[in-house]
Every structure is written in C-alpha cells, then in structure tokens.
Amino acid sequence: MMKKVIVIGAGAWGGWTAFHLQKAGCQVTLIDKNGPGNTLAGSGGKTRIIRLAYGGSEVYTDLTERSFALWEKYTTMWNEQLLHSKPALWMFRNIEPKYAEMSEPLMKQRGYELDQLSIQELTKKYPKINFKDITAAYWEPNAAYLEASRSCGIVRDQFVKAGGKYLEEAVVNLNHKGAKITGAALSTGEVLEADYYVLACGPWLRELVPEMEKHIHISRQEVYYFETPDNYSQMPIWVEFREGDKMYYGIPDHFGQGFKFAYDERTWSLNPSKDDREITSEILNKMKSILANRFPELAETSVLKHHVCVYENSADGDFIIDAPSGCSNALMLAGSSGHGFKMGPAIGELATAHILKNEVIPYEFSIPRFAGTEQRKSQYEV
C-alpha cells in the first residue's frame, strides 16, 4: 500500500480523492493555492446540478449513481445538508431528444425514472414557462442540486479530521527523475516528497504538465442570478438542449438568491490566472434573451449576482484520468468539462482503487483514446 501521497488541488476531485486515500490508510498531504472551492476554481460557486440522465453512457450513469449514494451517505454521517432534492425538466428545441432516449433505459434498469411528458401537459402544469418552440420534454424526478464551494470546504475539514495534512500553498513545479516524480516544488522553495502524486489542479494542470495543452481547452462560463417573483421556488431544475450542440440550465430559485442561469457552450476562452472575471455584455445579452423567451415574465428582470466559472474541457467532453507520459507514480484527474463536480465522491473512490489496488480506469478516460478519433464538441453530442 502507498504510504505517502500528495494531492494537488482541493476541488471536488482532489478533495474527495485525498479523503478516500486518507481513510484507506495512506499518509496524505492535500495542497491548494487558494483554498477548497475558491472563487477562481472550477469547483467554486454556490451550487451544481446532479442528475442520472447521461446519454446512454453506462460509465457515467454508474459513476453518478454511486456519487448520489455517497453524497447521501456523507450528508447524513456529517450532519451537513449538501444535497438538495429537486426534480429536473429536460427540454429539447428543434432537435431530436436522442440524449434522453439513450438515457432512459439505463436509468430504468437502475430503478430511476426519466419520462417523456406532453407539451400540453407541461403547459398546464407550468404556465410560467413558454413551451411553444419546445419539441420534446422529459421529467427526471430524482435530480437534485449540490452545494459546491461549501462542500469542498467540508470535505477538506473531514480529511483533516481523519488525520490528513492540508497546505494552502502554490505548487510551481514537479521534479522528475527517470519515470518518476520525485517532489512537488512550492512557491516558498520547499520541495515536498511522496511515493505517489495525484494532480487534480483543474485549469492549472497545463502549467505543471505542459503536454496537456493539446488535450485541454479552458473556457469562460458566466453564471447569473436573476431576480424572480417569490413563487418560483416550486419550479423544477431546468435543462434545455438547442440546435448547434448548445445547452442551457438553471435552478429557478435556491437559497432565496434568485434564478441561477448558466450555459454549457465552450465558445469563450479564459486564462484562469490573468483574465478578468467581470460581466461580458455579449454573453449577458444572449442569456437575457434566452431567459426572456423561456420565461416571458422575466423579460425585464435584473441581475442580482454574477460570477465566472472556469471549465477545463477535454477535446471530447469526457474525463481524463491517466498518468502523465512516462510517469509511473502519478495520476491526473482532469478534463472535468463542466459536468464532473457531481461525481467527486465516486471519482475519489475510483482513483483510490487504482492507486492502491491497481484497478483499471475505464478506457473512456485514457489519453490514448484521443489518437485517430473524430472528436465531439462536448459530451452532449450523440
């Protein structure tokens, strides 16, 4: 069994991996330069959606199901309400609902529902939503949303409580000798050594492992919180697919902070260390027009809050869980592509089983998959 492990990055993937490794008997040091779930990181922000619908992928469906169970387990064990149940309404505009059609049988095999509803039925149930340009819709009753930044902090705290060591420092370089990493160099000049290294540093991975430049694209994802009437609290999570491989989603009211509304496009790039995090008028105007179309009474609503979430996207939207080239004692957890937060608990288990028991990582997450294949724009393209 590995004795000493360094995990770089205390977001959803790094924090849960450090926690599982520590509980398994390793001596783990978790390092993050800005703190778990900080505002600059991919795991920052108030919430994330968790849902079982995954376009026919057994790997992702199983990982999400396992994560659901673990979120529920630790919510109870730690007496921290990190998971909030809320059904999801999946809508499709001018495209075939293949994503839902492929998700449905896998979900029902596991005891979960994803049912197609008529537009007439939905118009009656949710008169505030404009369904005139929606061509298909599905209902997922067992969806939920997770507390994001707060859960990262709680996982870190539980990791420390289990005997782990946490450092708020910047790792600036990885020292190598032959096929092994020999140390993690901090900005202070100190070099920390371990038997094994887990690299879960999100958009900053490319600085430590330059080879990942060709596999990961960083995008700017602006999240808005719009003012809504009080009666929006009973509305479902909203997920909408549109032509051109575009997806928009929102939580109509949570924590009394208004309508969380965001997009899943990869159009706008971001330098996570240098670019500003202010509102972009082009993006805001586009989002307001989409919101006004779907929820007409919000046409003149105002923005209550805003933040920029950073995505580190793989070329095909699938995760990258593999070793850096020629390295025998490290594992990269990368390419979360905007849909990895929810799977943090199960990814931590997967990484721990691989590190300690040499269990095989699914091929879908390997780097060799990129060779000679036609890349998708995102995981939603089927």
Side-chain angles (χ1 to χ4, degrees):
M1 179 182 290
M2 290 303 161
K3 292 299 183 183
K4 294 182 66 176
V5 182
I6 288 175
V7 178
I8 304 172
W13 288 7
W16 278 107
T17 300
F19 172 77
H20 286 306
L21 284 167
Q22 186 66 34
K23 294 290 285 184
C26 294
Q27 181 184 338
V28 185
T29 299
L30 176 64
I31 309 172
D32 196 292
K33 64 179 179 180
N34 293 311
N38 66 82
T39 57
L40 298 179
S43 293
K46 188 71 175 174
T47 55
R48 295 291 189 281
I49 295 171
I50 181 168
R51 37 74 180 188
L52 261 296
Y54 246 104
S57 169
E58 291 206 31
V59 170
Y60 285 128
T61 303
D62 289 343
L63 280 173
T64 309
E65 182 182 32
R66 178 59 181 159
S67 287
F68 248 121
L70 291 172
W71 282 111
E72 290 171 346
K73 171 184 175 180
Y74 288 111
T75 284
T76 301
M77 183 181 295
W78 298 338
N79 195 29
E80 296 282 359
Q81 191 64 43
L82 303 177
L83 179 79
H84 302 264
S85 296
K86 198 174 188 67
L89 176 61
W90 294 79
M91 297 187 288
F92 298 82
R93 192 187 86 157
N94 297 325
I95 59 172
E96 293 295 319
K98 292 181 181 179
Y99 193 87
E101 291 172 349
M102 294 169 68
S103 301
E104 184 179 1
L106 289 181
M107 292 175 64
K108 292 198 171 180
Q109 286 171 14
R110 293 159 174 78
Y112 300 94
E113 297 177 47
L114 184 66
D115 299 314
Q116 186 167 14
L117 301 180
S118 71
I119 302 303
Q120 182 179 9
E121 180 182 358
L122 286 170
T123 300
K124 184 177 179 180
K125 187 173 184 178
Y126 294 111
K128 295 181 181 299
I129 303 177
N130 168 31
F131 291 100
K132 291 181 180 178
D133 56 349
I134 295 298
T135 49
Y138 287 75
W139 183 255
E140 182 177 349
N142 301 116
Y145 59 89
L146 302 162
E147 296 196 37
S149 181
R150 189 171 84 88
S151 74
C152 290
I154 288 170
V155 172
R156 184 272 317 272
D157 293 344
Q158 292 295 327
F159 159 74
V160 172
K161 187 177 179 180
K165 181 179 181 181
Y166 171 72
L167 295 177
E168 205 153 292
E169 301 283 355
V171 177
V172 296
N173 189 50
L174 297 173
N175 298 340
H176 293 77
K177 184 176 181 180
K180 289 191 173 184
I181 295 175
T182 58
L186 306 182
S187 58
T188 60
E190 184 181 4
V191 177
L192 302 181
E193 298 180 352
D195 301 306
Y196 204 93
Y197 299 81
V198 177
L199 314 179
C201 35
W204 293 276
L205 175 67
R206 301 187 307 175
E207 297 177 11
L208 295 179
V209 187
E211 69 180 83
M212 297 307 292
E213 285 271 359
K214 62 186 176 184
H215 296 308
I216 292 177
H217 164 65
I218 311 302
S219 64
R220 179 190 193 94
Q221 312 291 141
E222 297 192 11
V223 180
Y224 300 92
Y225 294 81
F226 289 98
E227 186 175 12
T228 61
D230 293 339
N231 54 11
Y232 270 65
S233 61
Q234 300 305 311
M235 299 285 276
I237 291 168
W238 162 55
V239 185
E240 179 177 334
F241 289 80
R242 292 190 172 197
E243 59 276 20
D245 193 40
K246 294 180 172 60
M247 192 267 272
Y248 304 91
Y249 63 94
I251 305 174
D253 183 76
H254 66 320
F255 304 111
Q257 295 188 354
F259 193 138
K260 177 184 177 179
F261 182 35
Y263 56 86
D264 204 301
E265 294 184 44
R266 316 298 161 97
T267 307
W268 297 279
S269 297
L270 177 76
N271 183 319
S273 299
K274 296 180 181 180
D275 289 353
D276 72 77
R277 304 287 181 116
E278 302 303 317
I279 288 178
T280 303
S281 58
E282 173 193 0
I283 300 175
L284 174 59
N285 291 337
K286 179 177 183 177
M287 297 296 283
K288 289 182 76 171
S289 69
I290 293 168
L291 187 71
N293 172 64
R294 194 60 57 226
F295 297 86
E297 71 177 351
L298 301 183
E300 302 300 324
T301 191
S302 57
V303 176
L304 297 175
K305 292 199 315 180
H306 157 273
H307 77 270
V308 171
C309 183
V310 55
Y311 279 12
E312 35 115 13
N313 310 290
S314 69
D316 59 3
D318 287 328
F319 304 154
I320 300 172
I321 304 179
D322 207 340
S325 296
C327 187
S328 62
N329 68 332
L331 184 68
M332 299 182 295
L333 307 180
S336 61
S337 303
H339 65 116
F341 185 95
K342 70 180 78 65
M343 299 183 202
I347 292 292
E349 278 192 339
L350 181 72
T352 298
H354 175 73
I355 293 167
L356 300 183
K357 300 177 183 178
N358 202 31
E359 292 192 10
V360 177
I361 301 291
Y363 180 78
E364 293 93 324
F365 303 154
S366 71
I367 291 176
R369 78 178 191 263
F370 292 117
T373 60
E374 182 179 347
Q375 303 302 335
R376 298 176 298 162
K377 287 176 285 186
S378 81
Q379 74 274 13
Y380 301 114
E381 188 178 337
V382 295

